[in-house]
DNA sequence: TGGATCTGCCAC
DNA sequence: AAACGTGGCAGATCCA
């Protein structure tokens, strides 16, 4: 593709990879108007990704009883998250309408429904707790949805008019900035000028002043000990903090910022998951756990148990840890993963 | 034919 | 890619 676009058609290269000019989606978006094939290629990329990875890929691994059984690795992700392989059930599409179609294929066994419970703004709550940031804590006490507020601010729309895609983008901005994203990277991702991105960054840390100092402290502390540690005691060594290579060292600093947060969120979620499992046993429930996705749990629920299981799941998740801000859970039920959305 | 690497892209 | 973090998978390419 690189050869066709940049040599044969002579389109304008945007950025480079290790081996030549990049043809990734962000680059193609910028040269759409130079040749009609670019839009076609973008559409092909989207459809082929979905067809190969999720269409054929999932059909290939589905068992004869209609279930898909993945391997959940407990010692792969360095932060304490699980990972899922063969297949990866942690990256089933949700962000585009066409991609979301695949979630309709995840259904409960006959006579049951799916219950989906996902922590609300989980890592922002963890940051609020660890950084003791007055802006974040105040927002959570007031019941503010920060992803929504951030979206309203960066896209200049009324908070009530924020759509799903905008909130999703704002999520990326919120976590990106918290974990060391710079104005340049923010501009690239939003498709705006670096200067404009710098204004967004400035506004973010003005609203949440303690986040920056917390991140600086974490990096300093990690340089001294050589590892990060969650409040439950999960340690991650970060030896690259002393690398002579600037790039490697910078990357290590961002890992040090992220690991205690993502790690604590993983600790909390795992505690909740074990408690949910214990409760199901204690209740002698017919309902069962079928999947987890980092801060989300999916249960196959018998209608007779629906209310009890819903209450039990929410309570276990909210009470898995006691932070300076409340833990909140979004929960929904439905006949498929796609439809179990509040 | 198959392993290793690279690019690109899906999710949290 | 110097430029949020954590993952896994498909396809192309290079090479044995
Ligand atoms: N560094 C980073 N972390 C992310 C990103 N997306 C998701 N995460 C992490 C932080 C989130 O708290 C966690 C769970 O993802 P969710 O999609 O459930 O988002 P969150 O819980 O923040 O918001 P929610 O209220 O559930 O929509 O995964 C990202 O783009 N960058
Ligand atoms: Mn969540
Ligand atoms: Mn989630």
């Amino acid at each position: 593709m690189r050869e066709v676009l940049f040599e044969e058609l002579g389109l304008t290269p945007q950025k480079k990879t290790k081996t030549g000019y990049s043809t990734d989606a962000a680059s193609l978006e910028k040269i759409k108007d130079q040749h009609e094939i670019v839009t076609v290629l973008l559409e092909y990329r989207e459809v082929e990704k979905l067809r190969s990875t999720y269409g054929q890929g999932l059909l290939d691994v589905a068992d004869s009883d209609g279930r898909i059984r993945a391997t959940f690795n407990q010692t792969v992700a360095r932060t304490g998250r699980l990972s899922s392989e063969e297949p990866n059930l942690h990256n089933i599409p949700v962000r585009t309408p066409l991609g979301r179609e695949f979630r309709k294929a995840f259904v409960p066994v006959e006579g049951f429904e799916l219950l989906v419970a996902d922590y609300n703004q989980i890592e922002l709550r963890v940051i609020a707790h660890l950084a003791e940031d007055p802006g974040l804590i105040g927002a959570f006490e007031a019941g503010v949805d920060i992803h929504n507020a951030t979206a309203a601010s960066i896209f200049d729309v009324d908070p009530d008019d924020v759509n799903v895609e905008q909130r999703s983008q704002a999520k990326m901005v919120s976590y990106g900035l918290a974990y060391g994203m710079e104005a340049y990277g923010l501009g690239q991702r939003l498709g705006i000028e670096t200067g404009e991105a710098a204004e967004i960054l400035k506004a973010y840390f003005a609203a949440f002043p303690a986040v920056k100092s917390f991140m600086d402290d974490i990096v300093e502390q990690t340089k001294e000990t050589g590892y990060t540690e969650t409040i439950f005691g999960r340690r991650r060594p970060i030896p690259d903090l002393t690398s002579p290579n600037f790039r490697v060292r910078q990357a290590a600093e961002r890992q040090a910022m992220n690991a205690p947060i993502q790690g604590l969120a993983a600790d909390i979620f795992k505690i909740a998951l074990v408690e949910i499992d214990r409760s199901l046993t204690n209740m002698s429930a017919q309902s069962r756990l079928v999947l987890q996705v980092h801060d989300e749990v999916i249960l196959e629920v018998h209608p007779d148990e629906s209310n009890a299981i819903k209450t039990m799941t929410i309570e276990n998740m909210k009470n898995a840890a006691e932070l300076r801000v409340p833990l909140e859970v979004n929960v929904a039920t439905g006949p498929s993963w796609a439809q179990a959305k509040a």
Side-chain angles (χ1 to χ4, degrees), chain A residues 178-294:
Chain A
Y179 300 130
M181 187 186 279
E182 296 183 2
Y184 176 81
L186 180 59
Q188 290 295 306
R189 282 170 179 79
L190 292 181
I192 60 177
E193 295 300 316
T194 304
E196 196 184 338
E199 292 301 313
I200 294 173
L201 188 150
K202 212 171 83 185
Y204 181 89
F205 286 110
F208 311 124
V211 176
K212 187 147 204 64
S213 49
F214 170 76
M215 293 300 168
D216 292 344
D217 290 349
I218 281 289
V219 170
E220 282 316 304
Q221 187 187 318
T222 309
K223 276 181 183 161
E224 282 169 28
T225 62
Y227 58 83
T228 62
E229 186 167 10
T230 71
I231 57 185
F232 285 103
R234 181 187 304 280
R235 292 182 181 181
R236 174 180 177 180
I238 315 225
D240 284 344
L241 280 174
T242 62
S243 169
N245 182 314
F246 178 78
R247 217 180 327 170
V248 172
R249 207 166 56 241
Q250 293 289 303
E253 290 188 5
R254 292 191 297 271
Q255 291 165 0
M257 299 180 201
N258 175 266
I261 317 290
Q262 190 180 117
L264 177 53
D267 291 341
I268 292 170
F269 179 80
K270 283 173 156 179
I271 289 166
L273 189 60
V274 168
E275 286 303 322
I276 290 168
D277 181 62
R278 193 196 318 275
S279 297
L280 287 170
T281 301
N282 290 344
M283 296 162 73
S284 303
Q286 302 178 62
S287 307
R288 43 154 56 174
L289 282 164
V290 291
L291 183 62
Q292 69 94 241
V293 189
H294 305 304

Side-chain angles (χ1 to χ4, degrees), chain A residues 57-227:
Chain A
L58 291 178
L59 284 174
D60 286 345
V61 297
D63 289 338
S64 51
D65 63 357
R67 290 195 189 263
I68 293 171
R69 294 173 177 81
T71 299
F72 293 92
N73 302 304
Q74 302 221 51
T75 55
V76 170
R78 294 155 173 85
T79 52
R81 279 186 175 187
L82 303 191
S83 76
S84 166
E85 68 176 355
E86 213 183 330
N88 183 0
L89 294 178
H90 285 168
N91 69 342
I92 303 303
V94 70
R95 291 174 191 176
T96 70
L98 188 61
R100 267 196 295 278
E101 290 292 310
F102 289 90
R103 295 201 171 207
K104 294 183 181 169
F106 290 80
V107 296
V109 72
E110 181 73 40
F112 285 64
E113 61 192 20
L114 289 185
L115 183 150
V116 178
D118 184 306
Y119 276 115
N120 178 276
Q121 310 176 75
I122 183 62
E123 284 182 32
L124 277 181
R125 290 176 194 273
V126 168
I127 293 171
H129 174 79
L130 293 175
E132 303 189 57
D133 184 273
L136 286 175
I137 292 174
F140 286 126
E141 281 172 353
V144 172
D145 183 322
I146 290 168
H147 296 327
N148 204 285
T150 302
S153 163
I154 64 183
F155 298 114
D156 196 24
V157 298
D158 193 279
D160 295 334
D161 294 338
V162 171
N163 63 36
V164 185
E165 290 93 274
Q166 288 171 328
R167 185 176 185 275
S168 173
Q169 281 260 312
K171 202 185 278 189
M172 219 164 35
V173 171
S174 260
Y175 290 119
L177 292 176
Y179 300 130
M181 187 186 279
E182 296 183 2
Y184 176 81
L186 180 59
Q188 290 295 306
R189 282 170 179 79
L190 292 181
I192 60 177
E193 295 300 316
T194 304
E196 196 184 338
E199 292 301 313
I200 294 173
L201 188 150
K202 212 171 83 185
Y204 181 89
F205 286 110
F208 311 124
V211 176
K212 187 147 204 64
S213 49
F214 170 76
M215 293 300 168
D216 292 344
D217 290 349
I218 281 289
V219 170
E220 282 316 304
Q221 187 187 318
T222 309
K223 276 181 183 161
E224 282 169 28
T225 62
Y227 58 83

